[in-house]
Amino acid sequence: MNIVISGLGIIGGSFAKALKKYTDHYITGLNRSPKPLNDALECGAIDEIGTPDSLKKADLLILGTFPQAAVEFVEKNAHLIPQNCIVADTSGIKSEICPRMTELSKQYGFTFVGCHPMAGKEKNGFSASDADLFCGASCILIPGSASFEAVDKVAKLADKIGFGQIVYSTPEEHDRMIAFTSQLPHAIACSYVLSPVCKKHKGFSAGSYRDVSRVAHINEKLWTELFMENKQPLIEEMDILINNLNDIKNALQTGDRDELEKLLAKSRQVKEGLGE
Amino acid sequence: MNIVISGLGIIGGSFAKALKKYTDHYITGLNRSPKPLNDALECGAIDEIGTPDSLKKADLLILGTFPQAAVEFVEKNAHLIPQNCIVADTSGIKSEICPRMTELSKQYGFTFVGCHPMAGKEKNGFSASDADLFCGASCILIPGSASFEAVDKVAKLADKIGFGQIVYSTPEEHDRMIAFTSQLPHAIACSYVLSPVCKKHKGFSAGSYRDVSRVAHINEKLWTELFMENKQPLIEEMDILINNLNDIKNALQTGDRDELEKLLAKSRQVKEGLGE
């Protein structure tokens, strides 16, 4: 296949590296700024630095950019995308992206498959990309109106480059789950490190601090976009969390040991029930 | 030295294993139930299963039990502890423990050094103990009224069994910091996994979920005690966190992108400022 990757940040770059490591497909890179393109060409992550015209021969287009930038890229270049081409985004939000992409796909004839690789790091950019970033990770696919054949092609490719499982979902279910599994932990981490005590943590901290604060090393532009475009599910999850924190706080304040122990036991049971 | 360890759970057991691995001291184990003692003797983590009378020849007594149980053990057995013996607890709270222990030490003549090894796992018991649990971890010491010589002896031993750094503190500073670095993350993890969505997370989650939920696999009896005995600092930290979460939520609700981006950037800067 001729695969074009637009946006060689950590995700697009990791797709490029993984595809070169695990498959024989021909990879063309597109990027707003030249440095990641040159770096990618030099280290063999792409075969060629492309132009929008490269899209004309693409069998698969992977969008590695931020959600809105991905939509804008397709809006601008849809007329160059062949009808037999599959377009896959990599956005962390779907309800705001998939309907518009499906609309464009119907208008121009290509196939759109929503895709969210559940992998990342607290670092960004092509320099943080890694051929094995996806190893064992979950790849969420939003088939929407795509044919079984097209979705299966993306799934098989995901499997080949190391993903551990493929999960099929809808934009709504995806966004509801991601609000909890990904966005809420980022909101927690950012809220956590703003305690005035944080700056003095060294020597007094261990794994608990490290784990809960890790993703506070955040790309604020990307996550502002992700949070804003998944506002309702995230607000709902934040409310649930704040209520649960208040339950613990109230048990503390009233000195109700039994209630506190019961709350903590409930949490342990959830983790145990999940085999974690 | 003759070292007696009372309580062979994950912490006491790890001290036993580390002492046998990295030093030549003679280790005697005490425990309420016999199984950890037999396991420890069998795997060479202790040289002998002791009785309270073993305390009579102890140079160092390490208390691996829960905080209140540690105090009760010393109250009950103080008359057996020699005057030249150093007693070190391993509790995660200090304001409730150190003053009483210091009182007992003055009454009976032994030396008390507060100690909090900043290491642990989300599993408990002797079976989870590990000779290298403390490798690179921070060992917080609360010298209180102990002599320099006694504190230094404990510090040198901590260094020898793998701790990466020794931090000296007061009960108040310790408890204030630990509320943030350790107890708050546990309260967060427990609050987090109680979202009704949690049980369906598989396939939709990655590192963020794993990290923030890890310590929800909690020992509710131990942590109820730790939370209750550090009530005020923990409530203070919970209030700060909830306020910060509400700031993010308000920015979301009012659609204030600039404010949200500013909040997230502030968090990133804290992490970067710490070199993390």
Side-chain angles (χ1 to χ4, degrees), chain A residues 7-272:
Chain A
L8 291 177
I10 177 171
I11 297 298
S14 295
F15 266 104
K17 287 179 178 174
L19 286 165
K20 289 314 295 179
K21 181 170 176 183
Y22 296 108
T23 77
D24 295 323
H25 300 303
Y26 188 86
I27 314 296
T28 302
L30 297 176
N31 201 69
R32 213 171 31 177
S33 61
K35 180 149 181 5
L37 289 169
N38 293 329
D39 291 351
L41 191 64
E42 199 173 316
C43 75
I46 59 172
D47 296 292
E48 186 189 328
I49 296 176
T51 66
D53 268 350
S54 310
L55 292 170
K56 288 180 183 166
K57 50 170 187 147
D59 299 302
L60 173 64
L61 166 61
I62 297 172
L63 301 160
T65 49
F66 286 13
Q68 286 305 337
V71 171
E72 283 158 22
F73 179 88
V74 174
E75 281 171 343
K76 194 174 156 193
N77 298 294
H79 62 287
L80 299 170
I81 302 172
Q83 301 223 342
N84 65 348
C85 180
I86 299 170
V87 176
D89 75 328
T90 56
S91 300
I93 44 162
K94 295 303 181 204
S95 299
E96 285 275 331
I97 301 300
C98 293
R100 177 68 184 134
M101 289 294 208
T102 301
E103 210 177 283
L104 286 163
S105 75
K106 285 186 176 156
Q107 194 180 337
Y108 289 92
F110 63 82
T111 296
F112 175 72
V113 177
C115 171
H116 185 187
M118 293 304 297
K121 287 184 194 171
E122 61 278 23
K123 302 229 165 105
N124 306 303
F126 182 76
S127 60
S129 67
D130 179 345
D132 289 310
L133 182 68
F134 308 123
C135 270
S138 180
C139 181
I140 307 175
L141 295 182
I142 317 289
S145 61
S147 69
F148 177 85
E149 200 192 335
V151 177
D152 198 50
K153 209 179 215 173
V154 177
K156 289 215 167 78
L157 194 66
D159 181 65
K160 213 162 184 180
I161 64 174
F163 282 98
Q165 65 176 321
I166 314 290
V167 172
Y168 300 96
S169 187
T170 62
E172 295 68 32
E173 183 194 37
H174 170 276
D175 286 1
R176 182 79 187 77
M177 293 306 301
I178 290 306
F180 171 72
T181 60
S182 171
Q183 298 181 337
L184 185 59
H186 282 76
I188 290 171
C190 288
S191 301
Y192 178 72
V193 300
L194 290 184
S195 165
V197 159
C198 186
K199 291 177 182 167
K200 301 177 281 179
H201 83 83
K202 284 181 186 172
F204 292 93
S205 61
S208 298
Y209 167 84
R210 187 191 58 229
D211 283 359
V212 78
S213 73
R214 182 176 60 86
V215 292
H217 199 286
I218 202 166
N219 178 334
E220 65 265 18
K221 285 200 187 305
L222 172 61
W223 287 87
T224 295
E225 189 175 332
L226 294 173
F227 279 18
M228 280 293 172
E229 286 168 14
N230 202 22
K231 197 189 269 205
Q232 278 322 314
L234 179 53
I235 287 176
E236 217 171 290
E237 282 300 332
M238 293 185 82
D239 281 335
I240 293 170
L241 178 79
I242 291 169
N243 280 340
N244 291 338
L245 285 166
N246 277 323
D247 285 347
I248 291 179
K249 207 185 97 179
N250 291 339
L252 270 172
Q253 249 159 350
T254 57
D256 191 341
R257 279 179 185 260
D258 288 349
E259 173 63 13
L260 180 57
E261 193 176 319
K262 218 183 290 171
L263 288 169
L264 301 184
K266 232 167 100 184
S267 303
R268 177 181 51 73
Q269 284 154 9
V270 170
K271 284 292 271 184
E272 280 180 356

Side-chain angles (χ1 to χ4, degrees), chain A residues 138 180-181 190 192 201-204 209 211 213-214 220-221 239 249 261 267-268 271 274 276, chain B residues 138 180-181 190 192 201-204 209 211 213-214 220-221 239 249 261 267-268 271 274 276:
Chain A
S138 180
F180 171 72
T181 60
C190 288
Y192 178 72
H201 83 83
K202 284 181 186 172
F204 292 93
Y209 167 84
D211 283 359
S213 73
R214 182 176 60 86
E220 65 265 18
K221 285 200 187 305
D239 281 335
K249 207 185 97 179
E261 193 176 319
S267 303
R268 177 181 51 73
K271 284 292 271 184
L274 287 162
E276 291 167 4
Chain B
S138 180
F180 171 72
T181 60
C190 288
Y192 178 72
H201 83 84
K202 284 183 187 172
F204 291 93
Y209 166 84
D211 284 358
S213 72
R214 182 175 60 86
E220 66 266 18
K221 285 200 189 303
D239 281 335
K249 207 185 99 180
E261 194 176 317
S267 304
R268 177 181 51 74
K271 283 292 270 183
L274 288 162
E276 291 167 3

Side-chain angles (χ1 to χ4, degrees), chain B residues 80-111:
Chain B
L80 299 171
I81 302 173
Q83 299 223 345
N84 66 347
C85 181
I86 299 170
V87 176
D89 75 329
T90 55
S91 299
I93 44 162
K94 294 303 179 203
S95 299
E96 285 276 331
I97 301 300
C98 293
R100 177 67 185 133
M101 290 294 208
T102 301
E103 210 177 282
L104 287 164
S105 75
K106 285 185 175 156
Q107 193 178 339
Y108 290 92
F110 61 84
T111 295

